[in-house]
mmCIF file of all heavy atoms in Angstrom:
data_model
loop_
_atom_site.group_PDB
_atom_site.id
_atom_site.type_symbol
_atom_site.label_atom_id
_atom_site.label_comp_id
_atom_site.label_asym_id
_atom_site.label_seq_id
_atom_site.Cartn_x
_atom_site.Cartn_y
_atom_site.Cartn_z
ATOM 1 N N LYS E 1 8.075 -0.511 -8.255
ATOM 2 C CA LYS E 1 8.753 0.774 -7.975
ATOM 3 C C LYS E 1 8.830 1.598 -9.236
ATOM 4 O O LYS E 1 9.170 1.119 -10.314
ATOM 5 C CB LYS E 1 10.139 0.324 -7.504
ATOM 6 C CG LYS E 1 10.758 1.538 -6.680
ATOM 7 C CD LYS E 1 12.028 1.033 -5.864
ATOM 8 C CE LYS E 1 11.830 -0.121 -4.912
ATOM 9 N NZ LYS E 1 13.042 -0.510 -4.228
ATOM 10 N N GLY E 2 8.486 2.844 -9.120
ATOM 11 C CA GLY E 2 8.578 3.784 -10.276
ATOM 12 C C GLY E 2 7.270 3.856 -11.011
ATOM 13 O O GLY E 2 7.082 4.715 -11.935
ATOM 14 N N ARG E 3 6.313 2.910 -10.761
ATOM 15 C CA ARG E 3 5.046 2.882 -11.439
ATOM 16 C C ARG E 3 3.822 3.134 -10.571
ATOM 17 O O ARG E 3 2.879 3.726 -11.067
ATOM 18 C CB ARG E 3 4.883 1.614 -12.280
ATOM 19 C CG ARG E 3 5.947 1.256 -13.283
ATOM 20 C CD ARG E 3 5.667 -0.099 -14.020
ATOM 21 N NE ARG E 3 5.542 -1.238 -13.193
ATOM 22 C CZ ARG E 3 4.403 -1.999 -13.065
ATOM 23 N NH1 ARG E 3 3.391 -1.752 -13.712
ATOM 24 N NH2 ARG E 3 4.331 -3.021 -12.292
ATOM 25 N N PHE E 4 3.914 2.569 -9.326
ATOM 26 C CA PHE E 4 2.785 2.778 -8.338
ATOM 27 C C PHE E 4 3.207 3.813 -7.381
ATOM 28 O O PHE E 4 4.372 3.873 -7.040
ATOM 29 C CB PHE E 4 2.664 1.302 -7.694
ATOM 30 C CG PHE E 4 2.014 0.328 -8.577
ATOM 31 C CD1 PHE E 4 1.856 0.495 -9.878
ATOM 32 C CD2 PHE E 4 1.510 -0.789 -7.945
ATOM 33 C CE1 PHE E 4 1.325 -0.479 -10.703
ATOM 34 C CE2 PHE E 4 0.926 -1.827 -8.682
ATOM 35 C CZ PHE E 4 0.891 -1.749 -10.122
ATOM 36 N N ILE E 5 2.186 4.435 -6.831
ATOM 37 C CA ILE E 5 2.255 5.424 -5.731
ATOM 38 C C ILE E 5 1.272 5.119 -4.634
ATOM 39 O O ILE E 5 0.104 5.160 -4.933
ATOM 40 C CB ILE E 5 2.181 6.844 -6.233
ATOM 41 C CG1 ILE E 5 3.254 7.181 -7.322
ATOM 42 C CG2 ILE E 5 2.420 7.902 -5.110
ATOM 43 C CD1 ILE E 5 3.039 8.526 -8.002
ATOM 44 N N ILE E 6 1.803 4.892 -3.399
ATOM 45 C CA ILE E 6 0.846 4.736 -2.244
ATOM 46 C C ILE E 6 0.789 6.013 -1.551
ATOM 47 O O ILE E 6 1.758 6.732 -1.420
ATOM 48 C CB ILE E 6 1.410 3.585 -1.354
ATOM 49 C CG1 ILE E 6 0.285 3.314 -0.287
ATOM 50 C CG2 ILE E 6 2.781 3.860 -0.794
ATOM 51 C CD1 ILE E 6 0.703 1.998 0.617
ATOM 52 N N SER E 7 -0.397 6.377 -1.156
ATOM 53 C CA SER E 7 -0.628 7.566 -0.324
ATOM 54 C C SER E 7 -1.805 7.401 0.620
ATOM 55 O O SER E 7 -2.503 6.411 0.543
ATOM 56 C CB SER E 7 -0.796 8.743 -1.167
ATOM 57 O OG SER E 7 -2.091 8.599 -2.004
ATOM 58 N N ARG E 8 -1.992 8.306 1.527
ATOM 59 C CA ARG E 8 -3.108 8.306 2.446
ATOM 60 C C ARG E 8 -3.564 9.608 2.814
ATOM 61 O O ARG E 8 -2.824 10.575 2.763
ATOM 62 C CB ARG E 8 -2.628 7.480 3.735
ATOM 63 C CG ARG E 8 -1.589 8.189 4.576
ATOM 64 C CD ARG E 8 -1.004 7.225 5.705
ATOM 65 N NE ARG E 8 -1.943 6.839 6.601
ATOM 66 C CZ ARG E 8 -1.844 5.766 7.390
ATOM 67 N NH1 ARG E 8 -0.778 4.998 7.398
ATOM 68 N NH2 ARG E 8 -2.842 5.439 8.259
ATOM 69 N N ASN E 9 -4.814 9.619 3.179
ATOM 70 C CA ASN E 9 -5.450 10.794 3.703
ATOM 71 C C ASN E 9 -6.026 10.524 5.097
ATOM 72 O O ASN E 9 -7.099 9.948 5.220
ATOM 73 C CB ASN E 9 -6.558 11.351 2.738
ATOM 74 C CG ASN E 9 -7.180 12.669 3.240
ATOM 75 O OD1 ASN E 9 -7.283 12.925 4.425
ATOM 76 N ND2 ASN E 9 -7.582 13.425 2.248
ATOM 77 N N ASN E 10 -5.273 10.867 6.070
ATOM 78 C CA ASN E 10 -5.709 10.560 7.429
ATOM 79 C C ASN E 10 -6.977 11.322 7.912
ATOM 80 O O ASN E 10 -7.690 10.862 8.752
ATOM 81 C CB ASN E 10 -4.562 10.799 8.481
ATOM 82 C CG ASN E 10 -3.516 9.714 8.352
ATOM 83 O OD1 ASN E 10 -3.706 8.693 7.726
ATOM 84 N ND2 ASN E 10 -2.320 9.981 8.940
ATOM 85 N N ALA E 11 -7.224 12.418 7.369
ATOM 86 C CA ALA E 11 -8.410 13.140 7.731
ATOM 87 C C ALA E 11 -9.693 12.426 7.075
ATOM 88 O O ALA E 11 -10.793 12.626 7.824
ATOM 89 C CB ALA E 11 -8.413 14.583 7.158
ATOM 90 N N GLN E 12 -9.462 11.731 6.121
ATOM 91 C CA GLN E 12 -10.685 11.030 5.494
ATOM 92 C C GLN E 12 -10.578 9.441 5.578
ATOM 93 O O GLN E 12 -11.341 8.668 5.125
ATOM 94 C CB GLN E 12 -10.708 11.335 3.970
ATOM 95 C CG GLN E 12 -10.986 12.825 3.716
ATOM 96 C CD GLN E 12 -11.238 13.161 2.278
ATOM 97 O OE1 GLN E 12 -10.916 12.302 1.346
ATOM 98 N NE2 GLN E 12 -11.665 14.293 2.063
ATOM 99 N N ASN E 13 -9.530 9.084 6.421
ATOM 100 C CA ASN E 13 -9.341 7.573 6.825
ATOM 101 C C ASN E 13 -9.277 6.849 5.522
ATOM 102 O O ASN E 13 -10.062 5.650 5.335
ATOM 103 C CB ASN E 13 -10.606 7.133 7.643
ATOM 104 C CG ASN E 13 -10.497 7.717 9.014
ATOM 105 O OD1 ASN E 13 -9.514 8.190 9.499
ATOM 106 N ND2 ASN E 13 -11.701 7.706 9.708
ATOM 107 N N THR E 14 -8.538 7.245 4.558
ATOM 108 C CA THR E 14 -8.574 6.514 3.233
ATOM 109 C C THR E 14 -7.117 6.335 2.786
ATOM 110 O O THR E 14 -6.233 7.249 2.868
ATOM 111 C CB THR E 14 -9.363 7.437 2.167
ATOM 112 O OG1 THR E 14 -10.685 7.620 2.673
ATOM 113 C CG2 THR E 14 -9.359 6.674 0.864
ATOM 114 N N LEU E 15 -6.836 5.099 2.218
ATOM 115 C CA LEU E 15 -5.654 4.817 1.623
ATOM 116 C C LEU E 15 -5.808 4.724 0.169
ATOM 117 O O LEU E 15 -6.825 4.382 -0.357
ATOM 118 C CB LEU E 15 -5.215 3.357 2.179
ATOM 119 C CG LEU E 15 -3.921 2.832 1.608
ATOM 120 C CD1 LEU E 15 -2.726 3.519 2.147
ATOM 121 C CD2 LEU E 15 -3.895 1.258 2.037
ATOM 122 N N TYR E 16 -4.698 5.103 -0.636
ATOM 123 C CA TYR E 16 -4.812 5.046 -2.027
ATOM 124 C C TYR E 16 -3.585 4.203 -2.668
ATOM 125 O O TYR E 16 -2.450 4.093 -1.940
ATOM 126 C CB TYR E 16 -4.724 6.483 -2.701
ATOM 127 C CG TYR E 16 -5.903 7.279 -2.144
ATOM 128 C CD1 TYR E 16 -5.675 8.207 -1.098
ATOM 129 C CD2 TYR E 16 -7.162 7.289 -2.647
ATOM 130 C CE1 TYR E 16 -6.718 9.050 -0.675
ATOM 131 C CE2 TYR E 16 -8.154 8.003 -2.306
ATOM 132 C CZ TYR E 16 -7.982 8.887 -1.282
ATOM 133 O OH TYR E 16 -8.980 9.739 -0.733
ATOM 134 N N LEU E 17 -3.860 3.779 -3.831
ATOM 135 C CA LEU E 17 -2.664 3.202 -4.603
ATOM 136 C C LEU E 17 -2.960 3.640 -6.158
ATOM 137 O O LEU E 17 -3.899 3.210 -6.766
ATOM 138 C CB LEU E 17 -2.629 1.699 -4.589
ATOM 139 C CG LEU E 17 -1.490 1.001 -5.251
ATOM 140 C CD1 LEU E 17 -0.206 1.333 -4.539
ATOM 141 C CD2 LEU E 17 -1.665 -0.413 -5.423
ATOM 142 N N GLN E 18 -2.082 4.546 -6.467
ATOM 143 C CA GLN E 18 -2.114 4.985 -7.862
ATOM 144 C C GLN E 18 -1.237 4.079 -8.701
ATOM 145 O O GLN E 18 -0.107 3.974 -8.417
ATOM 146 C CB GLN E 18 -1.606 6.487 -8.048
ATOM 147 C CG GLN E 18 -1.570 6.975 -9.396
ATOM 148 C CD GLN E 18 -2.838 7.139 -10.069
ATOM 149 O OE1 GLN E 18 -3.804 7.616 -9.397
ATOM 150 N NE2 GLN E 18 -2.920 6.749 -11.294
ATOM 151 N N MET E 19 -1.874 3.495 -9.702
ATOM 152 C CA MET E 19 -1.137 2.427 -10.512
ATOM 153 C C MET E 19 -1.003 2.953 -11.992
ATOM 154 O O MET E 19 -1.976 3.135 -12.585
ATOM 155 C CB MET E 19 -1.852 1.097 -10.502
ATOM 156 C CG MET E 19 -2.055 0.539 -9.059
ATOM 157 S SD MET E 19 -2.732 -1.078 -9.061
ATOM 158 C CE MET E 19 -4.328 -0.806 -9.731
ATOM 159 N N ASN E 20 0.206 3.219 -12.362
ATOM 160 C CA ASN E 20 0.506 3.676 -13.676
ATOM 161 C C ASN E 20 1.313 2.706 -14.561
ATOM 162 O O ASN E 20 1.906 1.789 -13.879
ATOM 163 C CB ASN E 20 1.228 5.039 -13.585
ATOM 164 C CG ASN E 20 0.604 6.084 -12.852
ATOM 165 O OD1 ASN E 20 -0.674 6.181 -12.985
ATOM 166 N ND2 ASN E 20 1.223 6.791 -11.975
ATOM 167 N N SER E 21 1.267 2.872 -15.846
ATOM 168 C CA SER E 21 2.082 1.950 -16.713
ATOM 169 C C SER E 21 1.764 0.492 -16.358
ATOM 170 O O SER E 21 2.734 -0.278 -16.228
ATOM 171 C CB SER E 21 3.523 2.283 -16.563
ATOM 172 O OG SER E 21 3.862 3.616 -16.907
ATOM 173 N N LEU E 22 0.589 0.197 -16.389
ATOM 174 C CA LEU E 22 0.157 -1.190 -15.827
ATOM 175 C C LEU E 22 0.589 -2.189 -16.863
ATOM 176 O O LEU E 22 0.590 -1.938 -18.119
ATOM 177 C CB LEU E 22 -1.376 -1.214 -15.616
ATOM 178 C CG LEU E 22 -1.768 -0.603 -14.271
ATOM 179 C CD1 LEU E 22 -3.269 -0.242 -14.300
ATOM 180 C CD2 LEU E 22 -1.394 -1.504 -13.151
ATOM 181 N N LYS E 23 0.967 -3.440 -16.357
ATOM 182 C CA LYS E 23 1.393 -4.508 -17.195
ATOM 183 C C LYS E 23 0.427 -5.718 -16.874
ATOM 184 O O LYS E 23 -0.218 -5.770 -15.871
ATOM 185 C CB LYS E 23 2.738 -4.934 -16.781
ATOM 186 C CG LYS E 23 3.830 -3.716 -16.893
ATOM 187 C CD LYS E 23 5.141 -4.270 -16.286
ATOM 188 C CE LYS E 23 6.211 -3.143 -16.368
ATOM 189 N NZ LYS E 23 7.521 -3.611 -15.925
ATOM 190 N N PRO E 24 0.309 -6.650 -17.958
ATOM 191 C CA PRO E 24 -0.527 -7.776 -17.631
ATOM 192 C C PRO E 24 -0.207 -8.598 -16.335
ATOM 193 O O PRO E 24 -1.066 -9.086 -15.735
ATOM 194 C CB PRO E 24 -0.233 -8.529 -18.955
ATOM 195 C CG PRO E 24 0.106 -7.607 -20.012
ATOM 196 C CD PRO E 24 0.782 -6.500 -19.328
ATOM 197 N N GLU E 25 1.146 -8.483 -16.088
ATOM 198 C CA GLU E 25 1.525 -9.259 -14.844
ATOM 199 C C GLU E 25 1.097 -8.590 -13.536
ATOM 200 O O GLU E 25 1.231 -9.087 -12.487
ATOM 201 C CB GLU E 25 3.113 -9.410 -14.793
ATOM 202 C CG GLU E 25 3.865 -8.153 -15.053
ATOM 203 C CD GLU E 25 4.351 -8.124 -16.513
ATOM 204 O OE1 GLU E 25 3.399 -8.281 -17.418
ATOM 205 O OE2 GLU E 25 5.410 -7.708 -16.773
ATOM 206 N N ASP E 26 0.516 -7.342 -13.608
ATOM 207 C CA ASP E 26 -0.158 -6.672 -12.557
ATOM 208 C C ASP E 26 -1.515 -7.191 -12.264
ATOM 209 O O ASP E 26 -2.067 -6.882 -11.171
ATOM 210 C CB ASP E 26 -0.191 -5.230 -12.708
ATOM 211 C CG ASP E 26 1.262 -4.489 -12.846
ATOM 212 O OD1 ASP E 26 2.167 -4.918 -12.021
ATOM 213 O OD2 ASP E 26 1.374 -3.642 -13.692
ATOM 214 N N THR E 27 -1.957 -8.063 -13.077
ATOM 215 C CA THR E 27 -3.356 -8.613 -12.909
ATOM 216 C C THR E 27 -3.390 -9.445 -11.640
ATOM 217 O O THR E 27 -2.589 -10.355 -11.407
ATOM 218 C CB THR E 27 -3.706 -9.522 -14.117
ATOM 219 O OG1 THR E 27 -3.904 -8.588 -15.263
ATOM 220 C CG2 THR E 27 -5.143 -10.204 -13.818
ATOM 221 N N ALA E 28 -4.363 -9.055 -10.674
ATOM 222 C CA ALA E 28 -4.435 -9.718 -9.465
ATOM 223 C C ALA E 28 -5.576 -9.185 -8.649
ATOM 224 O O ALA E 28 -6.187 -8.238 -9.063
ATOM 225 C CB ALA E 28 -3.171 -9.623 -8.592
ATOM 226 N N VAL E 29 -5.994 -9.803 -7.458
ATOM 227 C CA VAL E 29 -6.795 -9.104 -6.578
ATOM 228 C C VAL E 29 -5.982 -8.339 -5.530
ATOM 229 O O VAL E 29 -5.013 -8.874 -5.071
ATOM 230 C CB VAL E 29 -7.666 -10.184 -5.806
ATOM 231 C CG1 VAL E 29 -8.527 -9.515 -4.770
ATOM 232 C CG2 VAL E 29 -8.454 -10.961 -6.709
ATOM 233 N N TYR E 30 -6.294 -7.126 -5.500
ATOM 234 C CA TYR E 30 -5.549 -6.111 -4.598
ATOM 235 C C TYR E 30 -6.134 -6.005 -3.232
ATOM 236 O O TYR E 30 -7.477 -5.718 -3.172
ATOM 237 C CB TYR E 30 -5.337 -4.798 -5.203
ATOM 238 C CG TYR E 30 -4.299 -4.902 -6.299
ATOM 239 C CD1 TYR E 30 -4.495 -5.566 -7.582
ATOM 240 C CD2 TYR E 30 -3.066 -4.333 -6.133
ATOM 241 C CE1 TYR E 30 -3.536 -5.596 -8.548
ATOM 242 C CE2 TYR E 30 -2.025 -4.415 -7.079
ATOM 243 C CZ TYR E 30 -2.311 -5.076 -8.354
ATOM 244 O OH TYR E 30 -1.363 -5.193 -9.290
ATOM 245 N N TYR E 31 -5.451 -6.177 -2.190
ATOM 246 C CA TYR E 31 -5.982 -6.048 -0.758
ATOM 247 C C TYR E 31 -5.295 -4.949 -0.038
ATOM 248 O O TYR E 31 -3.975 -4.861 -0.050
ATOM 249 C CB TYR E 31 -5.782 -7.346 -0.016
ATOM 250 C CG TYR E 31 -6.392 -8.530 -0.595
ATOM 251 C CD1 TYR E 31 -5.769 -9.317 -1.514
ATOM 252 C CD2 TYR E 31 -7.745 -8.955 -0.077
ATOM 253 C CE1 TYR E 31 -6.427 -10.424 -1.979
ATOM 254 C CE2 TYR E 31 -8.295 -10.029 -0.612
ATOM 255 C CZ TYR E 31 -7.727 -10.811 -1.593
ATOM 256 O OH TYR E 31 -8.244 -11.873 -2.208
ATOM 257 N N CYS E 32 -6.025 -4.159 0.756
ATOM 258 C CA CYS E 32 -5.357 -3.223 1.628
ATOM 259 C C CYS E 32 -5.310 -3.855 3.108
ATOM 260 O O CYS E 32 -6.099 -4.779 3.387
ATOM 261 C CB CYS E 32 -6.031 -1.891 1.750
ATOM 262 S SG CYS E 32 -7.744 -1.900 2.342
ATOM 263 N N ALA E 33 -4.319 -3.469 3.853
ATOM 264 C CA ALA E 33 -4.109 -4.056 5.197
ATOM 265 C C ALA E 33 -3.708 -3.006 6.146
ATOM 266 O O ALA E 33 -2.963 -2.095 5.780
ATOM 267 C CB ALA E 33 -3.191 -5.234 5.046
ATOM 268 N N SER E 34 -4.067 -3.181 7.419
ATOM 269 C CA SER E 34 -3.801 -2.170 8.552
ATOM 270 C C SER E 34 -2.800 -3.001 9.471
ATOM 271 O O SER E 34 -3.089 -4.163 9.867
ATOM 272 C CB SER E 34 -5.029 -1.744 9.111
ATOM 273 O OG SER E 34 -4.783 -0.960 10.205
ATOM 274 N N SER E 35 -1.740 -2.293 9.872
ATOM 275 C CA SER E 35 -0.694 -2.913 10.726
ATOM 276 C C SER E 35 -1.339 -3.217 12.056
ATOM 277 O O SER E 35 -2.155 -2.468 12.631
ATOM 278 C CB SER E 35 0.454 -1.949 10.939
ATOM 279 O OG SER E 35 0.073 -0.780 11.578
ATOM 280 N N ALA E 36 -0.892 -4.350 12.636
ATOM 281 C CA ALA E 36 -1.333 -4.722 14.000
ATOM 282 C C ALA E 36 -0.930 -3.743 15.065
ATOM 283 O O ALA E 36 -1.651 -3.435 15.959
ATOM 284 C CB ALA E 36 -0.844 -6.163 14.294
ATOM 285 N N ARG E 37 0.387 -3.402 14.944
ATOM 286 C CA ARG E 37 0.869 -2.388 15.978
ATOM 287 C C ARG E 37 0.649 -0.958 15.559
ATOM 288 O O ARG E 37 0.514 -0.643 14.332
ATOM 289 C CB ARG E 37 2.355 -2.586 16.141
ATOM 290 C CG ARG E 37 2.772 -4.010 16.741
ATOM 291 C CD ARG E 37 4.274 -4.058 16.933
ATOM 292 N NE ARG E 37 4.700 -3.047 17.947
ATOM 293 C CZ ARG E 37 5.971 -2.921 18.382
ATOM 294 N NH1 ARG E 37 6.903 -3.597 17.855
ATOM 295 N NH2 ARG E 37 6.270 -2.060 19.194
ATOM 296 N N THR E 38 0.548 -0.064 16.579
ATOM 297 C CA THR E 38 0.508 1.305 16.242
ATOM 298 C C THR E 38 1.767 1.950 15.854
ATOM 299 O O THR E 38 2.811 1.395 16.247
ATOM 300 C CB THR E 38 -0.209 2.088 17.291
ATOM 301 O OG1 THR E 38 0.565 1.915 18.533
ATOM 302 C CG2 THR E 38 -1.679 1.669 17.519
ATOM 303 N N TYR E 39 1.702 2.989 15.091
ATOM 304 C CA TYR E 39 2.919 3.855 14.763
ATOM 305 C C TYR E 39 4.071 2.933 14.109
ATOM 306 O O TYR E 39 3.795 2.464 13.013
ATOM 307 C CB TYR E 39 3.434 4.576 16.098
ATOM 308 C CG TYR E 39 2.336 5.445 16.629
ATOM 309 C CD1 TYR E 39 1.733 5.125 17.769
ATOM 310 C CD2 TYR E 39 1.934 6.462 15.962
ATOM 311 C CE1 TYR E 39 0.726 5.928 18.364
ATOM 312 C CE2 TYR E 39 0.844 7.263 16.415
ATOM 313 C CZ TYR E 39 0.201 6.954 17.618
ATOM 314 O OH TYR E 39 -0.754 7.867 18.121
ATOM 315 N N TYR E 40 5.120 2.831 14.687
ATOM 316 C CA TYR E 40 6.295 2.236 13.880
ATOM 317 C C TYR E 40 6.198 0.662 13.952
ATOM 318 O O TYR E 40 6.019 0.138 14.923
ATOM 319 C CB TYR E 40 7.585 2.657 14.376
ATOM 320 C CG TYR E 40 7.733 4.146 14.306
ATOM 321 C CD1 TYR E 40 7.572 5.040 15.372
ATOM 322 C CD2 TYR E 40 8.062 4.713 13.043
ATOM 323 C CE1 TYR E 40 7.648 6.385 15.277
ATOM 324 C CE2 TYR E 40 8.144 6.166 12.892
ATOM 325 C CZ TYR E 40 7.985 6.880 13.931
ATOM 326 O OH TYR E 40 8.063 8.287 13.917
ATOM 327 N N ILE E 41 6.401 0.010 12.804
ATOM 328 C CA ILE E 41 6.564 -1.410 12.680
ATOM 329 C C ILE E 41 7.876 -1.711 12.035
ATOM 330 O O ILE E 41 8.428 -1.030 11.434
ATOM 331 C CB ILE E 41 5.321 -1.963 11.966
ATOM 332 C CG1 ILE E 41 5.284 -1.614 10.424
ATOM 333 C CG2 ILE E 41 4.010 -1.610 12.565
ATOM 334 C CD1 ILE E 41 4.287 -2.318 9.637
ATOM 335 N N GLN E 42 8.342 -2.928 12.317
ATOM 336 C CA GLN E 42 9.600 -3.414 11.902
ATOM 337 C C GLN E 42 9.734 -3.793 10.341
ATOM 338 O O GLN E 42 10.663 -3.497 9.661
ATOM 339 C CB GLN E 42 10.135 -4.417 12.763
ATOM 340 C CG GLN E 42 11.671 -4.813 12.547
ATOM 341 C CD GLN E 42 12.097 -5.636 13.576
ATOM 342 O OE1 GLN E 42 11.499 -6.007 14.526
ATOM 343 N NE2 GLN E 42 13.493 -5.893 13.552
ATOM 344 N N ASN E 43 8.628 -4.539 10.014
ATOM 345 C CA ASN E 43 8.690 -5.109 8.689
ATOM 346 C C ASN E 43 7.437 -4.796 7.854
ATOM 347 O O ASN E 43 6.424 -5.345 8.099
ATOM 348 C CB ASN E 43 8.714 -6.657 8.714
ATOM 349 C CG ASN E 43 10.026 -7.060 9.488
ATOM 350 O OD1 ASN E 43 11.190 -6.863 8.937
ATOM 351 N ND2 ASN E 43 9.848 -7.663 10.545
ATOM 352 N N TYR E 44 7.508 -3.825 6.990
ATOM 353 C CA TYR E 44 6.382 -3.345 6.280
ATOM 354 C C TYR E 44 5.899 -4.309 5.147
ATOM 355 O O TYR E 44 4.753 -4.258 4.716
ATOM 356 C CB TYR E 44 6.714 -2.044 5.583
ATOM 357 C CG TYR E 44 6.820 -0.931 6.629
ATOM 358 C CD1 TYR E 44 8.017 -0.575 7.188
ATOM 359 C CD2 TYR E 44 5.629 -0.204 7.032
ATOM 360 C CE1 TYR E 44 8.068 0.448 8.172
ATOM 361 C CE2 TYR E 44 5.650 0.810 8.004
ATOM 362 C CZ TYR E 44 6.955 1.081 8.581
ATOM 363 O OH TYR E 44 6.967 2.230 9.409
ATOM 364 N N ASP E 45 6.778 -5.336 4.822
ATOM 365 C CA ASP E 45 6.425 -6.194 3.713
ATOM 366 C C ASP E 45 5.989 -7.601 4.205
ATOM 367 O O ASP E 45 5.771 -8.530 3.376
ATOM 368 C CB ASP E 45 7.569 -6.308 2.673
ATOM 369 C CG ASP E 45 8.854 -6.909 3.491
ATOM 370 O OD1 ASP E 45 8.904 -7.001 4.711
ATOM 371 O OD2 ASP E 45 9.795 -7.212 2.817
ATOM 372 N N ARG E 46 5.775 -7.822 5.495
ATOM 373 C CA ARG E 46 5.388 -9.150 5.999
ATOM 374 C C ARG E 46 3.904 -9.101 6.268
ATOM 375 O O ARG E 46 3.363 -8.337 7.029
ATOM 376 C CB ARG E 46 6.061 -9.385 7.298
ATOM 377 C CG ARG E 46 7.515 -9.806 7.170
ATOM 378 C CD ARG E 46 8.121 -10.154 8.502
ATOM 379 N NE ARG E 46 7.207 -10.968 9.300
ATOM 380 C CZ ARG E 46 7.418 -11.307 10.606
ATOM 381 N NH1 ARG E 46 8.566 -10.797 11.169
ATOM 382 N NH2 ARG E 46 6.640 -11.964 11.255
ATOM 383 N N LYS E 47 3.239 -10.127 5.717
ATOM 384 C CA LYS E 47 1.784 -10.250 5.936
ATOM 385 C C LYS E 47 1.479 -10.375 7.473
ATOM 386 O O LYS E 47 0.452 -9.859 7.960
ATOM 387 C CB LYS E 47 1.267 -11.460 5.211
ATOM 388 C CG LYS E 47 1.291 -11.315 3.634
ATOM 389 C CD LYS E 47 0.544 -12.495 3.030
ATOM 390 C CE LYS E 47 1.226 -13.811 3.244
ATOM 391 N NZ LYS E 47 2.515 -13.890 2.577
#
């Protein structure tokens, strides 16, 4: 929070993640994911 910004361009079917002030602990493989349900979902942080 305060370092990363998530955004999307629905016209171009693209999701973004702007990562600023990166730290060594941010080292990882990053995956994008699409929700199973359409429109509103209850838990945005659940795999």
Side-chain angles (χ1 to χ4, degrees):
K1 202 172 294 184
R3 300 187 299 121
F4 290 11
I5 301 171
I6 187 171
S7 63
R8 65 190 298 162
N9 184 327
N10 283 346
Q12 296 186 347
N13 294 343
T14 306
L15 175 73
Y16 301 99
L17 185 68
Q18 177 66 42
M19 304 186 295
N20 303 318
S21 302
L22 282 161
K23 305 175 181 180
E25 51 263 43
D26 294 318
T27 295
V29 177
Y30 283 72
Y31 298 89
C32 64
S34 178
S35 66
R37 296 184 62 180
T38 55
Y39 302 110
Y40 298 101
I41 65 176
Q42 189 168 3
N43 298 295
Y44 288 91
D45 58 349
R46 282 183 46 186
K47 294 189 294 293

